[in-house]
């Protein structure tokens, strides 16, 4: 699979990340086959979070991949922390405690990347900085990032945190593309012009932060997938026509649409279906034309002023 640098780091990663939020839905043999298939196709970047399956997903993954020092050398592990029952928590104590739990469940001594999951309204960035320093100096975490944060939140962190923020995981799909639409509809009196994220797309590009789109097939907030959905007939027709041209699936085209953007995004796919996993990986080799990209954008109901 094609690779890229993660943010401003020297970490070389595949352009598609494998999300493991649902790996607890698989039986042991299925999980082993899924992980092995990903590795065989160059998808060795695995995204986790301490809340996925209440921690079970990390343990299931480590068991499925038969974690060992040799295996660990050939994979890239990312996890997230900061979500607790009924609250968000970026305190130093919670971050450090969370990472220890993550490492134990993944059966590894370090994470390649740790992301702060969902903004904590009570964050004290000085505490985050202390936690990051301890994690970096102890070798437990090599790179740091955030999830679902806007530019000002990142800048507040960076005032105190000396490590560069290399990734920002954000919801983005063809049908949830406001971060793109508000940049197209600048100064227009329509809903698409509403800037809901502080121009996070441009901010990340300016500061070499890799955007990791999550739920790349979802519309709304986990309301369902748009592929094959009767709610999006024009979009599916357009995607299917382009998929036929490239002799790939509609799944491949949906991911290729994200990869075509010059921000060098790294979509996080959540499927546990081996065939769909392979289709997502194939997007690495599909480069949509400008005309094709915009035709899909418009077919989703996004307007051009």
């Amino acid at each position: 699979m094609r690779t890229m640098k993660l943010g401003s780091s020297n970490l070389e990663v595949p352009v598609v990340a494998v999300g493991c939020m649902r790996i607890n839905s698989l039986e042991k043999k299925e999980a082993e086959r899924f992980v092995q298939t990903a590795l065989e196709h160059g998808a060795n970047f695995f995204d986790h979070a301490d809340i996925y399956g209440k921690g079970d997903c990390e343990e299931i993954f480590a068991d499925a991949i038969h974690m060992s020092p040799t295996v660990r050398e050939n994979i890239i592990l990312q996890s997230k922390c900061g979500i607790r029952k009924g609250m968000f928590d970026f305190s130093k104590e919670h971050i450090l405690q969370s990472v220890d739990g993550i490492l134990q469940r993944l059966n590894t001594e370090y994470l390649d990347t740790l992301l702060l999951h969902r903004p904590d309204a009570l964050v004290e960035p000085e505490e985050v900085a202390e936690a990051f320093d301890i994690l970096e100096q102890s070798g437990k975490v090599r790179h740091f990032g955030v999830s679902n944060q806007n530019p000002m939140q990142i800048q507040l962190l960076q005032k105190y945190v000396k490590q560069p923020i290399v990734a920002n995981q954000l919801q983005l799909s063809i049908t949830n593309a406001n971060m793109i639409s508000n940049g197209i509809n600048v100064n227009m009196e329509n809903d698409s012009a509403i800037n809901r994220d502080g121009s996070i797309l441009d901010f990340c590009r300016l500061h070499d932060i890799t955007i990791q789109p999550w739920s790349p097939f979802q519309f709304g907030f986990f309301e369902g997938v748009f592929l094959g959905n009767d709610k999006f007939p024009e979009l599916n027709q357009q995607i299917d026509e382009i998929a036929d041209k490239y002799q790939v699936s509609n799944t491949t085209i949906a991911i290729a649409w994200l990869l075509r953007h010059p921000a060098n995004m790294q979509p996080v796919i959540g499927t546990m279906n081996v065939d769909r996993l392979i289709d997502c990986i194939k997007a690495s080799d599909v480069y949509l034309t400008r005309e094709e990209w915009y035709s899909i954008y418009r077919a989703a109901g996004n307007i051009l002023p």
Side-chain angles (χ1 to χ4, degrees):
M1 192 197 305
R2 183 160 52 87
T3 61
M4 57 182 275
K5 298 289 186 183
L6 187 67
S8 59
S9 76
N10 290 319
L11 184 62
E12 196 77 20
V13 300
V15 296
V16 173
V18 180
C20 296
M21 185 174 72
R22 300 182 180 89
I23 198 169
N24 60 340
S25 67
L26 302 180
E27 297 294 332
K28 179 178 174 61
K29 290 296 183 184
E30 293 175 326
E32 290 175 337
R33 179 177 175 237
F34 177 82
V35 172
Q36 188 58 40
T37 300
L39 294 176
E40 289 171 354
H41 288 81
N44 68 337
F45 187 108
F46 298 96
D47 174 75
H48 296 269
D50 57 0
I51 63 164
Y52 293 166
K54 298 180 179 179
D56 288 348
C57 290
E58 290 169 328
E59 290 185 347
I60 292 169
F61 171 83
D63 185 52
I65 204 168
H66 305 292
M67 190 69 79
S68 69
T70 301
V71 170
R72 184 64 184 92
E73 290 176 2
N74 294 300
I75 63 175
I76 302 166
L77 289 179
Q78 172 174 283
S79 195
K80 302 180 286 292
C81 72
I83 297 181
R84 295 175 57 192
K85 185 176 181 179
M87 69 179 76
F88 302 137
D89 189 347
F90 286 176
S91 66
K92 173 184 173 181
E93 180 183 13
H94 182 71
I95 293 172
L96 296 177
Q97 188 178 62
S98 296
V99 170
D100 284 342
I102 290 168
L103 296 180
Q104 182 177 4
R105 290 189 294 271
L106 287 173
N107 191 21
T108 183
E109 295 181 351
Y110 70 95
L111 287 175
D112 293 285
T113 315
L114 173 71
L115 306 187
L116 297 179
H117 209 171
R118 289 284 172 193
D120 175 14
L122 302 181
V123 62
E124 297 183 49
E126 299 94 334
E127 283 199 29
V128 175
E130 290 178 22
F132 282 10
D133 284 345
I134 291 171
L135 292 172
E136 182 181 49
Q137 291 164 12
S138 64
K140 292 180 179 180
V141 178
R142 297 185 174 179
H143 305 283
F144 299 87
V146 296
S147 181
N148 307 297
Q149 293 207 11
N150 66 34
M152 296 300 287
Q153 291 168 328
I154 295 173
Q155 286 185 318
L156 176 62
L157 274 181
Q158 289 280 213
K159 179 180 178 181
Y160 300 91
V161 171
K162 68 182 182 182
Q163 296 82 4
I165 300 299
V166 299
N168 189 8
Q169 208 166 100
L170 298 156
Q171 185 178 17
L172 176 63
S173 70
I174 296 168
T175 54
N176 287 51
N178 181 257
M179 74 169 68
I180 295 173
S181 297
N182 68 54
I184 292 176
N185 290 270
V186 172
N187 200 40
M188 301 301 296
E189 294 185 1
N190 56 45
D191 288 344
S192 296
I194 299 173
N195 189 334
R196 295 181 170 89
D197 54 37
S199 299
I200 190 62
L201 174 59
D202 294 328
F203 178 86
C204 287
R205 294 181 73 180
L206 284 168
H207 294 272
D208 295 321
I209 298 172
T210 295
I211 291 176
Q212 297 178 329
W214 56 266
S215 290
F217 302 105
Q218 291 278 334
F219 66 92
F221 187 69
F222 292 108
E223 293 178 37
V225 298
F226 55 80
L227 291 177
N229 193 317
D230 292 340
K231 291 183 178 181
F232 303 95
E234 184 179 350
L235 174 60
N236 278 284
Q237 179 181 348
Q238 190 62 37
I239 290 175
D240 289 346
E241 289 178 3
I242 295 173
D244 185 61
K245 171 188 170 182
Y246 288 95
Q247 293 297 290
V248 296
S249 72
N250 56 359
T251 294
T252 302
I253 295 303
I255 296 299
W257 187 84
L258 292 170
L259 294 179
R260 175 61 176 84
H261 196 281
N264 293 320
M265 301 179 193
Q266 185 193 32
V268 180
I269 58 173
T271 184
M272 289 292 112
N273 180 289
V274 169
D275 292 333
R276 288 198 72 211
L277 169 67
I278 295 172
D279 283 343
C280 290
I281 292 170
K282 288 180 180 178
S284 169
D285 299 320
V286 176
Y287 189 81
L288 299 178
T289 66
R290 185 180 297 267
E291 290 78 11
E292 290 164 345
W293 189 92
Y294 272 102
S295 71
I296 291 172
Y297 175 81
R298 295 196 315 273
N302 298 305
I303 63 171
L304 297 181

